[in-house]
Amino acid sequence: MTTTTVAEREDLRAAIRGFLADRLPESTVRELIDTETGVDARSWTQLAGELGLAGLLVPEEHGGQGLSTVELGIALQESGRALLGAPFLGSAVLATWALVVSGDDAAATGLLPGLADGSTVAALGIDDDPQSPVRAVPDGDGWRLTGAKRHVVDVAAADTFLVTAEVDGGVGLFVLPAAGDGVDVEQTASLDLTRRLGRVRLADVPAQRVGTEFTAGLASVRELGAFACAAEQAGIAGRCLEIAVEYARTREQFGKPIGSFQAIKHQLAEHLARVEQMRAAVTAAAAELAASPGSAREIVSVVKAYCGDAGTTVAEGLIDTLGGIGFTWEHVAHLYLRRMKTLAYLFGSPSEHRARLAADLGLTG
Amino acid sequence: MTTTTVAEREDLRAAIRGFLADRLPESTVRELIDTETGVDARSWTQLAGELGLAGLLVPEEHGGQGLSTVELGIALQESGRALLGAPFLGSAVLATWALVVSGDDAAATGLLPGLADGSTVAALGIDDDPQSPVRAVPDGDGWRLTGAKRHVVDVAAADTFLVTAEVDGGVGLFVLPAAGDGVDVEQTASLDLTRRLGRVRLADVPAQRVGTEFTAGLASVRELGAFACAAEQAGIAGRCLEIAVEYARTREQFGKPIGSFQAIKHQLAEHLARVEQMRAAVTAAAAELAASPGSAREIVSVVKAYCGDAGTTVAEGLIDTLGGIGFTWEHVAHLYLRRMKTLAYLFGSPSEHRARLAADLGLTG
Amino acid sequence: MSTEVLDELRGFLDEAVPRFREQFGEDSSWETRIAWQRTMAEGGWAAPGWAVENGGRALPAHEVLAIEEVTAGYGMPPLAGMLGLKNVGPTLAAWGTPEQKEHLPRILNTEEVWCQGFSEPGAGSDLAGLRTRAVRDGDDYVVNGQKIWTSNGMHATHMELLVRTDPDAPKHRGISALLVDMSTPGIEVRPIRQINGQAEFAEVFFTDVRVPVDNLLGKENDGWNVTMTTLGHERSGVAIFATRFEREVRDLIARHRGEGLTPVQQDTLVRHFIEARVVAILGEATLSRVAAGEQPGSEQSVIKLVWSEAGQRLAATKLELAGIDAVSGAAPEAADAYLSARAMTIAAGTSPIVKNILSERVLGLPRG
Amino acid sequence: MSTEVLDELRGFLDEAVPRFREQFGEDSSWETRIAWQRTMAEGGWAAPGWAVENGGRALPAHEVLAIEEVTAGYGMPPLAGMLGLKNVGPTLAAWGTPEQKEHLPRILNTEEVWCQGFSEPGAGSDLAGLRTRAVRDGDDYVVNGQKIWTSNGMHATHMELLVRTDPDAPKHRGISALLVDMSTPGIEVRPIRQINGQAEFAEVFFTDVRVPVDNLLGKENDGWNVTMTTLGHERSGVAIFATRFEREVRDLIARHRGEGLTPVQQDTLVRHFIEARVVAILGEATLSRVAAGEQPGSEQSVIKLVWSEAGQRLAATKLELAGIDAVSGAAPEAADAYLSARAMTIAAGTSPIVKNILSERVLGLPRG
């Protein structure tokens, strides 16, 4: 794994921020909301190529940067901040990590280079529709899958699906083309307008198995997913605070900038405290996941629960500071709130992570 | 039951407030903290005689005023406000109500006139020490009791004890003199310095049974006790807010009264909202208990839970407003906080009443 | 209250509702709401709190509430012209000339739909800082300026418009209230799209709009007092919201009963219930006080503060109970309620403004 | 960090602690704390963060923390002269003349116990508004005034005293710092009894107290900068508190494990754990930054704000877990912790003051 210095990490942050501000400003984000996939394919190719974002987690031998959760955390904070619609989380984080931890060299060699340069976009389905969980049946060298996955992140832009299914009482990971017969993709109307979730229905679809037993791999992906949501939330919260502070400095009421009223000042100070804590917690979780992923379970739940609640408060607080204008469709505030709140429920809600902590800390039962 | 007009109730409030301000000012309250019983016997006689407080709930045929929870709520708010150390809650409310609902005419005739004029002071023991619950054994015409009761309100001033014990799978109420052989009274160091709780240990003590089956009576006493705590809390909270506002108006910092800072103003506005809600909730519960005690269970839990939490916040807020001076022994703030917090745990804490509501509303199980 | 009134109401509804449903089904569009108001007005139930001479029944606030509760039980859509019935109508009754009071029957029968032109983009919560100007020119005022957050602005035929008639007077002093026909030339109405994608409010632009001097409500430069009347009725409405809020929480609890909520979720719902029950008690107390002819005090502001914040938290709880379904499109109504609720602490007086009012006017603390 | 240092420490403690216990048992009185500090100083462990020439080991903050954590594991009472070791000593090292630095070894070995004379009855959180006057008279300053909330005031032999030396200068400008021997005539110390009945603070009265001009720390009228150094060290201490706070919550959870808490109580403890873990992370990050020679930024104020409010809530939870036992005398320590915790948001900068600092100095919002 490649390690970076503090200065290199700050350069990475600046490079991503500059790129996104330039190529995917708010106006573009809004336009993408109304497109079919929600993704500007050219920008994604550039993000993959110029910044190497798509290959951030891909080992160098497969054409990636071989970086860790430390750098990933920075990239995710920036993607949250910019409301990035590209399939960064779905393809470059979740699907890529599933392949990396699958231990399947052949699949890694076959798929990771394309994921790293952005020419392949994958989405990962791990949440079964309880009405029809995905079942895998052996079929010659391969398998055939039937069932449905929900909450598939960045579903619309994917050309490749990775999905899990129960095999012999364990978990198997399977890969299949998104465009094949029997594959039905439905984009659900998510609260988050800037990222497409969806449902993938499979009807007797041929698929290849990736690696062998994937139970540990799935757990690893879920930890990374929870961390990724929290990191995006830290980026969103930081931006919400900036917008609120800027507005409070300039907007006048009763003949003074509203930011001179103690009620506003103190709320913003509390939001600052939340943002600083979110960032510190994400940084600590990133370091732990990079250094010792096996023992990161506790910090992942702490950061996911904390960022979910604190981040929501900060995004709601932005609307409170803005007043009426923050309640309009045209202002960006609701896009942040929508994304923040959606991230709170992906990969375990704050209350679910608190319940997990209660069990891990020995409080339950 | 005697009913009163709005004007009469306001007169009652003014009369009690005036009496207590005159006879039991803060200086006296502080002196009583260091006395053996915590009660100024002369003042209690006057409260009983001049204001009829001791007989408020006693039916007129037994020498009392025959008033309802509506007037009681007013008196309790005033007793909380004045940090009254007299055995109002223990004797005039809890013990008196136990006798009233016992349905025992002989006992009522024998005891209520003394309670009403203050010449008898009773305390009610209903919480068993789990180490040694009180057991009753028949003994000729009477009974003999052995065991211990905890959390007996106004224990120090009582000359008569009423205690419950299991009888034939139900509940029996018993009366005994406080000074008899085998009766051991221990005043425990309560958080509340202005009201004595205690433990009563009985070792084979002769007692008379009051009435017959007391299960419903006990439930009624518990409801009244919970209401009484909430009503005192409303009175305390109102006084805490007054002190805080007065201080905020006059104390200067950074060259201005601290009450001109929005942070203080908004906190006090929130406390005002709490105080108004506490008062309204107590008034509503009082009316319901008077009109239809059988269906008052829900409102009693609502008011006890609400006043316990909101009242604590208001009393804590007083110390926040006062700053350093509020953290001193000499300031009255901690006496209010101590009494407020103690009342929150008597007759069911807010969390216990929430659990009761959850069950009553059909949410549990 | 007299049960006869409610019996009469039930008799009316038992007959009118099925007939109305036959024609309109479950529709709750604006047109249906207009039609339903007309039906209610014909029965004498559209504004039971209004004076008899204006087409009402002169019933006190808590009886009006009971009527609304009974009506709500029939599941009909809300009446269309609520602002006219609840806020503007009573203001006209209090301040209007005999000619101006002729609007009242038309408000009842939906001929006229009224809105309130109060908030402005530059002023927000600072109502007294409004800048829309009206300059006297012969028998007209000429109005220029802009209003925002106008409820029902897209549907209204008339507006109670606040304008500045004396720019040199202190803020509260130079304001007047005008009754404006929305079809007057120079008025442009644009919908405001909210964060939930809907458009319940409008921006209204005034360019050299001529309003006859006869349409001045109250005296010139005395509009602040007229405004206070309207806002007083608006806030009385809050007391009614408070009592409805308890029902909303009880309904939510009933819906989740036996659903295997976690104990923490159960506790959360009970906390909501306690909050709602207490604010409803305050609402009921306020309505009784109004009914007894007393001036309601600070309770209305307390209710606004508590109800709006409790309502916001309740919306967040609904989202939490729906969990990932709420954010992934499977329970869109929870998501929509959550977004809509953000306005509760902004509209009709932000929480900070209400706290200023309480601390200065009730507690007597100095202005900052 | 180097494990050798910690190994050396453990070697020292393994030997010193049993010997100390033999003599003092479980006592934690002031005299025992003095004796324990002397033992630690003899081993070179009383101020490992101080420069070597002043008797320290020049270790960075996070290593000092590790040392404190290891020491805490031995369950010994706190060192007596914490304010001297933590706040005043480093300030003397930064601003003192060579003669003034001679106090340092005496602070280490408990010959001198220092307190800080900052807060005043009329000023409170408004430190710059202090009114205790010092007037130059020959080679002395003559001091008159009063200090309040002086920690360790009853035990101190010396005080870092803030006085106003130029009453005409703007508030921050006319302040100086004096080093005062508490046995100087004219000084009267009175204990302040707190709401929990204890007296950890004092009021100190100054009547014509003569302090030699040589005892001026820093320049005349430049005491504000000296003060900021002391407060900076005080706030660094907060970062250490933050990491200790997590341990406190973990210990509480361990104590209640398997005790049949309700699910709501379990959730409450987990919420405390999350809060404590996050603030501890911020504390650790701050200490690493300080260790790397960076100037700590706003984190210290954030930590103070969050830690103090979280600590207060934790104390309330401890009371709640004890239930009626806490208020009826059966669990008095929970009640005492609850009362004591009320000071957390008042002492060393009230929460509103910290929020002012954060909003003005970090967010750049205008002063009110």
Side-chain angles (χ1 to χ4, degrees):
Chain A
M1 195 178 285
T2 313
T3 56
T4 53
T5 65
V6 171
E8 284 168 339
R9 297 199 283 271
E10 281 315 306
D11 287 349
L12 176 68
R13 183 189 300 282
I16 301 173
R17 187 173 297 187
F19 181 95
L20 294 175
D22 185 40
R23 310 290 172 85
L24 288 164
E26 191 193 323
S27 56
T28 309
V29 166
R30 287 198 177 259
E31 283 165 22
L32 289 174
I33 290 174
D34 295 321
T35 63
E36 199 194 324
T37 61
V39 173
D40 174 6
R42 224 190 48 195
S43 298
W44 176 234
T45 311
Q46 288 170 335
L47 271 165
E50 293 176 30
L51 291 172
L53 269 200
L56 195 146
L57 288 178
V58 174
E60 284 171 290
E61 66 265 32
H62 295 303
Q65 298 199 67
L67 293 169
S68 77
T69 41
V70 171
E71 296 78 19
L72 179 67
I74 290 167
L76 285 161
Q77 289 183 51
E78 294 306 312
S79 84
R81 180 189 168 85
L83 296 167
L84 178 60
F88 181 50
L89 178 58
S91 184
V93 180
L94 301 173
T96 296
W97 193 246
L99 279 170
V100 168
V101 297
S102 73
D104 185 324
D105 285 341
T109 307
L111 285 165
L112 286 177
L115 286 168
D117 67 19
S119 59
T120 296
V121 175
L124 176 69
I126 53 179
D127 285 349
D128 277 316
D129 182 340
Q131 308 299 316
S132 64
V134 172
R135 304 201 187 285
V137 182
D139 178 37
D141 283 354
W143 297 71
R144 301 190 82 88
L145 306 185
T146 299
K149 292 287 180 184
R150 304 184 300 175
H151 315 140
V152 182
V153 177
D154 293 330
V155 70
D159 51 49
T160 302
F161 288 139
L162 290 162
V163 297
T164 54
E166 197 191 302
V167 178
D168 301 331
V171 179
L173 179 67
F174 298 87
V175 61
L176 58 138
D181 278 352
V183 180
D184 176 47
V185 176
E186 181 195 344
Q187 294 182 38
T188 49
S190 157
L191 176 63
D192 183 359
L193 302 173
T194 57
R195 171 177 284 142
R196 301 296 164 89
L197 300 182
R199 185 184 297 271
V200 175
R201 286 199 190 79
L202 306 173
D204 201 31
V205 177
Q208 294 301 313
R209 184 154 183 193
V210 180
T212 53
E213 175 54 35
F214 193 63
T215 301
L218 180 58
S220 175
V221 168
R222 286 198 191 277
E223 297 302 293
L224 190 73
F227 163 74
C229 292
E232 275 219 342
Q233 289 181 311
I236 295 170
R239 182 65 192 138
C240 287
L241 178 63
E242 280 177 17
I243 297 171
V245 167
E246 178 59 25
Y247 187 80
R249 276 212 205 97
T250 52
R251 157 83 169 179
E252 297 205 349
Q253 217 167 55
F254 303 102
K256 302 199 273 189
I258 61 168
S260 62
F261 293 108
Q262 229 180 11
I264 298 277
K265 287 167 78 163
H266 286 192
Q267 278 164 15
L268 293 179
E270 288 165 18
H271 293 317
L272 170 68
R274 292 184 184 102
V275 168
E276 289 207 0
Q277 289 181 95
M278 289 172 78
R279 285 182 183 146
V282 165
T283 303
E288 184 83 14
L289 278 165
S292 151
S295 67
R297 202 177 139 86
E298 179 180 286
I299 183 81
V300 165
S301 276
V302 165
V303 73
K304 184 68 169 67
Y306 182 77
C307 290
D309 286 339
T312 297
T313 305
V314 173
E316 289 176 348
L318 170 58
I319 294 181
D320 289 340
T321 303
L322 293 167
I325 190 76
F327 194 64
T328 60
W329 183 264
E330 282 69 28
H331 198 283
V332 73
H334 73 104
L335 297 181
Y336 282 116
L337 179 61
R338 287 163 175 274
R339 184 145 169 161
M340 184 75 88
K341 201 73 180 168
T342 302
L343 288 164
Y345 286 95
L346 288 176
F347 293 96
S349 69
S351 53
E352 286 159 346
H353 279 280
R354 283 197 300 272
R356 181 169 112 164
L357 280 169
D360 288 359
L361 290 167
L363 280 167
T364 51
Chain B
M1 194 179 285
T2 312
T3 55
T4 52
T5 64
V6 172
E8 284 168 340
R9 295 199 283 271
E10 282 315 306
D11 288 348
L12 176 68
R13 183 189 301 280
I16 300 173
R17 187 173 297 188
F19 181 94
L20 293 176
D22 186 40
R23 309 291 171 85
L24 288 165
E26 189 193 324
S27 56
T28 309
V29 167
R30 286 196 178 259
E31 284 165 21
L32 290 174
I33 290 175
D34 295 322
T35 63
E36 197 194 326
T37 61
V39 173
D40 173 6
R42 224 191 47 198
S43 297
W44 176 236
T45 312
Q46 288 170 334
L47 270 165
E50 293 177 29
L51 291 173
L53 269 199
L56 194 146
L57 289 179
V58 174
E60 285 171 291
E61 66 265 34
H62 294 303
Q65 299 199 66
L67 293 170
S68 77
T69 42
V70 171
E71 296 78 19
L72 178 66
I74 290 167
L76 285 161
Q77 288 182 52
E78 293 307 312
S79 83
R81 180 188 167 87
L83 296 167
L84 178 60
F88 180 50
L89 177 58
S91 184
V93 180
L94 300 174
T96 296
W97 193 247
L99 279 170
V100 168
V101 296
S102 73
D104 185 324
D105 285 342
T109 306
L111 285 164
L112 285 177
L115 286 168
D117 67 19
S119 58
T120 295
V121 174
L124 176 69
I126 54 179
D127 285 349
D128 276 316
D129 182 339
Q131 307 299 317
S132 64
V134 172
R135 305 202 185 283
V137 182
D139 177 39
D141 282 354
W143 298 71
R144 302 190 83 88
L145 305 185
T146 299
K149 292 286 181 185
R150 304 183 301 175
H151 315 140
V152 182
V153 176
D154 293 330
V155 70
D159 51 51
T160 302
F161 288 138
L162 291 163
V163 296
T164 54
E166 198 192 300
V167 178
D168 300 332
V171 179
L173 178 68
F174 300 86
V175 62
L176 58 138
D181 278 352
V183 180
D184 176 46
V185 176
E186 181 195 342
Q187 294 182 36
T188 50
S190 159
L191 176 64
D192 183 358
L193 302 174
T194 57
R195 171 177 284 143
R196 302 295 164 89
L197 300 183
R199 186 183 295 273
V200 175
R201 285 198 192 80
L202 306 173
D204 200 33
V205 178
Q208 294 302 312
R209 184 154 184 193
V210 180
T212 53
E213 175 54 35
F214 193 61
T215 301
L218 180 57
S220 175
V221 168
R222 286 196 189 279
E223 297 301 293
L224 190 74
F227 163 75
C229 292
E232 275 220 342
Q233 289 181 310
I236 295 170
R239 182 65 191 138
C240 287
L241 178 63
E242 279 176 19
I243 296 171
V245 168
E246 178 58 26
Y247 186 79
R249 276 211 205 98
T250 52
R251 156 84 169 177
E252 296 206 351
Q253 219 168 49
F254 303 102
K256 302 199 274 190
I258 62 170
S260 62
F261 293 107
Q262 233 182 6
I264 298 277
K265 286 167 79 163
H266 286 192
Q267 278 164 17
L268 293 178
E270 288 165 19
H271 293 318
L272 169 68
R274 293 184 184 102
V275 169
E276 288 206 1
Q277 289 181 94
M278 290 172 78
R279 285 181 182 147
V282 165
T283 303
E288 183 82 16
L289 277 165
S292 150
S295 66
R297 202 177 139 86
E298 180 180 284
I299 184 82
V300 165
S301 275
V302 165
V303 74
K304 184 67 168 67
Y306 183 78
C307 291
D309 286 338
T312 297
T313 305
V314 173
E316 290 175 348
L318 170 58
I319 294 182
D320 290 340
T321 303
L322 294 166
I325 191 78
F327 194 65
T328 60
W329 182 265
E330 283 69 26
H331 199 282
V332 74
H334 73 105
L335 298 181
Y336 282 117
L337 179 61
R338 287 164 175 275
R339 184 146 171 160
M340 184 75 89
K341 201 72 181 169
T342 302
L343 288 165
Y345 287 95
L346 289 176
F347 293 96
S349 68
S351 53
E352 287 160 345
H353 278 281
R354 282 197 300 272
R356 181 170 113 164
L357 281 168
D360 288 0
L361 290 167
L363 280 167
T364 52
Chain C
M1 72 178 287
S2 59
T3 51
E4 298 102 64
V5 175
L6 292 186
D7 286 344
E8 186 193 338
L9 172 66
R10 285 194 195 91
F12 169 78
L13 290 170
D14 287 343
E15 200 267 327
V17 166
R19 215 179 41 202
F20 190 87
R21 280 261 167 71
E22 211 165 283
Q23 191 176 350
F24 294 92
E26 295 298 317
D27 183 51
S28 66
S29 67
W30 180 257
E31 291 68 31
T32 306
R33 292 174 57 191
I34 288 280
W36 177 237
Q37 182 179 331
R38 214 173 294 134
T39 305
M40 287 289 278
E42 281 158 14
W45 299 107
W50 284 18
V52 176
E53 66 266 31
N54 295 329
R57 292 167 180 256
L59 295 178
H62 66 284
E63 299 201 11
V64 172
L65 175 64
I67 285 169
E68 290 176 355
E69 298 240 319
V70 167
T71 310
Y74 286 76
M76 298 305 288
L79 304 187
M82 290 301 280
L83 297 178
L85 296 169
K86 290 288 182 182
N87 305 344
V88 182
T91 309
L92 285 171
W95 294 90
T97 61
E99 293 72 29
Q100 290 171 340
K101 287 184 187 168
E102 288 171 12
H103 288 290
L104 291 169
R106 299 197 288 265
I107 290 176
L108 260 190
N109 70 15
T110 75
E111 246 179 283
E112 294 179 3
V113 172
W114 283 71
C115 63
Q116 297 164 214
F118 286 18
S119 293
E120 296 192 5
S125 293
D126 179 17
L127 193 54
L130 66 87
R131 290 184 297 201
T132 295
R133 283 282 281 127
V135 179
R136 181 79 179 255
D137 178 32
D139 287 345
D140 290 339
Y141 289 103
V142 179
V143 179
N144 281 283
Q146 182 189 351
K147 295 289 172 178
I148 198 168
W149 300 113
T150 308
S151 297
N152 285 356
M154 300 303 297
H155 297 297
T157 62
H158 290 74
M159 173 187 273
E160 181 188 342
L161 173 67
L162 298 189
V163 291
R164 185 162 300 285
T165 35
D166 182 351
D168 301 323
K171 281 164 82 179
H172 294 70
R173 299 281 166 73
I175 292 172
S176 299
L178 300 178
L179 306 176
V180 180
D181 185 327
M182 294 293 278
S183 64
T184 317
I187 297 180
E188 190 196 346
V189 184
R190 290 187 209 150
I192 298 174
R193 197 171 174 200
Q194 301 145 224
I195 62 176
N196 61 357
Q198 289 156 20
E200 290 157 16
F201 303 96
E203 281 181 294
V204 185
F205 298 85
F206 297 84
T207 312
D208 294 334
V209 176
R210 299 193 79 89
V211 179
V213 171
D214 287 349
N215 289 13
L216 179 70
L217 183 63
K219 294 205 198 106
E220 188 174 271
N221 296 328
D222 195 31
W224 190 251
N225 285 318
V226 177
T227 313
M228 288 300 111
T229 302
T230 312
L231 290 180
H233 285 282
E234 188 170 302
R235 295 212 190 95
S236 293
V238 168
I240 294 173
F241 290 160
T243 62
R244 281 199 202 128
F245 184 56
E246 181 188 341
R247 168 181 293 207
E248 186 185 347
V249 176
R250 281 194 194 271
D251 288 350
L252 183 69
I253 287 173
R255 262 203 309 289
H256 286 281
R257 207 168 272 155
E259 246 195 17
L261 296 183
T262 68
V264 175
Q265 289 172 327
Q266 293 167 8
D267 186 60
T268 302
L269 284 182
V270 170
R271 286 172 187 268
H272 282 300
F273 174 72
I274 291 167
E275 224 168 37
R277 183 79 193 87
V278 171
V279 70
I281 286 169
L282 206 56
E284 288 153 11
T286 303
L287 292 174
S288 316
R289 212 154 301 163
V290 172
E294 287 176 54
Q295 199 62 22
S298 56
E299 303 94 329
Q300 291 184 340
S301 294
V302 169
I303 292 170
K304 163 69 173 91
L305 181 67
V306 174
W307 164 77
S308 60
E309 299 191 344
Q312 228 166 40
R313 279 194 298 274
L314 185 69
T317 293
K318 288 178 180 171
L319 193 99
E320 167 73 16
L321 291 174
I324 197 169
D325 282 353
V327 303
S328 63
E333 64 292 340
D336 186 67
Y338 170 72
L339 291 173
S340 303
R342 302 318 310 164
M344 294 179 79
T345 51
I346 299 173
T350 65
S351 286
I353 294 291
V354 176
K355 290 179 198 171
N356 280 349
I357 290 172
L358 286 171
S359 59
E360 290 166 14
R361 299 198 202 150
V362 183
L363 298 178
L365 293 172
R367 302 187 70 121
Chain D
M1 73 176 285
S2 59
T3 52
E4 296 102 66
V5 176
L6 292 186
D7 286 345
E8 187 194 335
L9 173 66
R10 284 194 194 93
F12 169 79
L13 290 170
D14 288 343
E15 202 267 327
V17 167
R19 214 179 43 202
F20 189 89
R21 281 262 168 71
E22 211 165 281
Q23 192 177 349
F24 293 92
E26 297 298 317
D27 182 51
S28 65
S29 67
W30 181 257
E31 291 67 30
T32 305
R33 290 174 57 191
I34 287 280
W36 177 237
Q37 181 179 332
R38 216 174 291 135
T39 305
M40 287 290 277
E42 282 159 12
W45 298 107
W50 284 18
V52 176
E53 67 264 30
N54 294 330
R57 292 168 181 255
L59 295 177
H62 66 284
E63 300 201 11
V64 173
L65 175 64
I67 285 169
E68 290 177 354
E69 297 241 318
V70 167
T71 310
Y74 286 76
M76 299 304 289
L79 305 186
M82 289 302 279
L83 297 178
L85 296 170
K86 290 288 182 184
N87 304 345
V88 182
T91 309
L92 285 172
W95 293 91
T97 61
E99 293 71 30
Q100 290 172 341
K101 287 184 183 168
E102 287 170 13
H103 287 291
L104 291 169
R106 299 196 288 267
I107 290 176
L108 261 190
N109 70 14
T110 74
E111 246 178 281
E112 295 179 2
V113 172
W114 284 71
C115 63
Q116 297 164 212
F118 286 18
S119 293
E120 297 192 4
S125 294
D126 179 16
L127 193 54
L130 65 86
R131 289 184 297 201
T132 294
R133 282 281 283 128
V135 178
R136 182 78 180 256
D137 179 30
D139 287 342
D140 290 338
Y141 288 103
V142 180
V143 179
N144 280 284
Q146 183 189 351
K147 295 289 172 178
I148 198 168
W149 299 113
T150 307
S151 298
N152 285 356
M154 300 305 294
H155 297 297
T157 61
H158 290 75
M159 172 187 274
E160 181 188 343
L161 172 66
L162 298 189
V163 291
R164 184 162 300 285
T165 36
D166 182 353
D168 301 322
K171 280 166 85 183
H172 294 70
R173 300 279 167 73
I175 292 173
S176 300
L178 300 178
L179 306 176
V180 180
D181 185 328
M182 294 292 278
S183 65
T184 316
I187 298 181
E188 189 197 347
V189 185
R190 289 186 208 151
I192 299 174
R193 197 172 175 199
Q194 301 144 226
I195 60 177
N196 62 356
Q198 289 155 21
E200 290 156 18
F201 302 95
E203 281 181 295
V204 185
F205 298 85
F206 298 83
T207 312
D208 294 333
V209 176
R210 300 192 78 88
V211 179
V213 170
D214 288 346
N215 290 14
L216 179 69
L217 184 62
K219 294 202 198 108
E220 189 173 271
N221 296 329
D222 194 30
W224 190 250
N225 285 317
V226 176
T227 313
M228 286 300 113
T229 302
T230 311
L231 290 180
H233 286 282
E234 188 170 303
R235 293 209 192 98
S236 293
V238 168
I240 294 173
F241 290 161
T243 62
R244 280 199 204 127
F245 184 55
E246 182 189 339
R247 167 180 295 205
E248 186 185 347
V249 176
R250 282 195 193 269
D251 289 349
L252 183 68
I253 287 174
R255 261 204 309 290
H256 286 282
R257 206 168 273 154
E259 246 195 16
L261 296 184
T262 68
V264 175
Q265 289 172 327
Q266 292 167 9
D267 187 59
T268 302
L269 284 182
V270 170
R271 285 172 187 268
H272 282 299
F273 174 72
I274 292 167
E275 223 167 38
R277 183 79 193 87
V278 171
V279 71
I281 286 170
L282 206 56
E284 289 153 12
T286 304
L287 292 174
S288 315
R289 212 156 300 163
V290 172
E294 288 175 53
Q295 199 61 20
S298 55
E299 303 94 330
Q300 292 184 338
S301 294
V302 169
I303 292 170
K304 163 69 172 90
L305 180 66
V306 175
W307 164 75
S308 61
E309 300 191 344
Q312 226 167 43
R313 280 194 298 274
L314 185 69
T317 293
K318 287 178 180 171
L319 193 101
E320 166 73 16
L321 291 174
I324 197 169
D325 281 352
V327 303
S328 64
E333 65 292 340
D336 185 67
Y338 170 73
L339 291 173
S340 303
R342 301 318 311 162
M344 293 181 79
T345 51
I346 300 173
T350 65
S351 286
I353 293 292
V354 176
K355 290 179 199 172
N356 280 349
I357 290 172
L358 286 172
S359 59
E360 289 166 16
R361 299 197 203 151
V362 184
L363 298 178
L365 293 173
R367 303 189 68 122

